[in-house]
Each structure stands twice: as structure tokens, then as C-alpha cells.
């Protein structure tokens, strides 16, 4: 016995469409049903707009911030961030240091970080920077404690 598939699905599709229309109509009329007596919608007032800040707008659009030029220069120790240390052995070790917010680089003991400082020594979670290998330390960088 051969069954025509089109004749089987046609009533099902029509029934589905009619049921969907009935459901949509029921939802529409339920939402249109009158609310409680005496209900009045409160008018919405437009929000007042604050005047635009030219400096903030310039920063947003990538322009130079005139206030940033007047800021005092950062101290030398705030330019460097210690991210990791390999201390030990006869070789002296190395440190992973970020300079001026740039990506971190590995520096061996005795290597120059910039024109005036070099990595003098390393210890666990600490690196000492100095102007020369034999001179006094300019400052010590400490690693942040691990999160708990």
C-alpha cells in the first residue's frame, strides 16, 4: 500500500498554524485586558543632561590629555614590576621584569635594564637594581605575594 506523504502532513501543518494563531490571539487579548480601576500611568520625565567634559572627551577619542603633561614624573621604582625570579647557583640567576608597562623580559644578573640601571643581584622573590655592578643598590623590587 502506497501512502502519499503530502496528504498526511497537510492537515497537521494547517492544525499547527491555526493553534498558533489562537494562542497568539489569547496572549494579545490577555495583555489588553483592563488593569485595576483608577490606574494611571505616571509620565516619564526626560533625564537632565550634564555638560560634556572636554578633557574626558579628548581621552575617549584618543587625543592628548593636557593634564597628563603637567603630572609629575614617576619615580624610578614605579617604572619596574618584578614578575618572576630564578635565583641561584654560580650563574647568579635572572629576573622577569616589566619596564614602563611594556611586556616583561628576562634579565640576567649584570644586564642593563635601561641607560642608568642594571640587575645587580637576585634572591627568592626579590631583585636588586643598581647603577653599577659593584655600587650601592638604587632600590629593591619585591614580587607580589601569591593569591590565597
Amino acid at each position: 500500500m502506497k501512502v502519499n506523504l503530502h496528504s498526511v502532513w497537510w492537515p497537521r501543518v494547517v492544525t499547527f498554524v491555526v493553534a498558533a494563531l489562537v494562542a497568539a490571539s489569547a496572549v494579545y487579548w490577555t495583555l489588553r485586558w483592563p488593569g485595576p480601576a483608577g490606574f494611571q500611568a505616571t509620565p516619564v520625565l526626560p533625564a537632565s543632561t550634564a555638560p560634556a567634559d572636554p578633557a574626558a572627551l579628548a581621552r575617549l577619542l584618543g587625543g592628548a590629555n593636557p593634564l597628563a603633561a603637567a603630572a609629575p614624573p614617576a619615580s624610578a621604582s614605579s617604572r619596574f614590576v618584578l614578575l618572576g625570579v630564578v635565583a641561584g647557583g654560580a650563574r647568579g640567576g635572572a629576573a622577569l621584569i616589566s619596564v614602563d608597562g611594556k611586556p616583561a623580559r628576562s634579565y640576567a644578573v649584570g644586564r642593563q635594564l635601561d641607560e642608568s640601571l642594571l640587575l645587580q643581584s637576585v634572591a627568592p622573590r626579590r631583585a636588586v637594581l643598581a647603577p653599577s655592578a659593584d655600587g650601592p643598590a638604587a632600590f629593591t623590587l619585591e614580587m607580589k605575594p601569591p593569591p590565597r
Side-chain angles (χ1 to χ4, degrees), residues 19-104:
L21 289 173
V22 168
S25 177
V27 168
Y28 173 79
W29 287 109
T30 302
L31 293 175
R32 297 280 299 178
W33 195 267
F39 175 75
Q40 291 183 345
T42 309
V44 177
L45 300 176
S48 63
T49 58
D53 180 18
L57 185 60
R59 279 192 313 272
L60 178 69
L61 297 176
N65 184 359
L67 301 177
S75 67
S77 64
S78 66
R79 293 180 49 215
F80 304 98
V81 177
L82 181 63
L83 300 173
V85 174
V86 178
R91 303 181 110 172
L96 189 63
I97 300 174
S98 172
V99 181
D100 294 329
K102 295 178 185 168

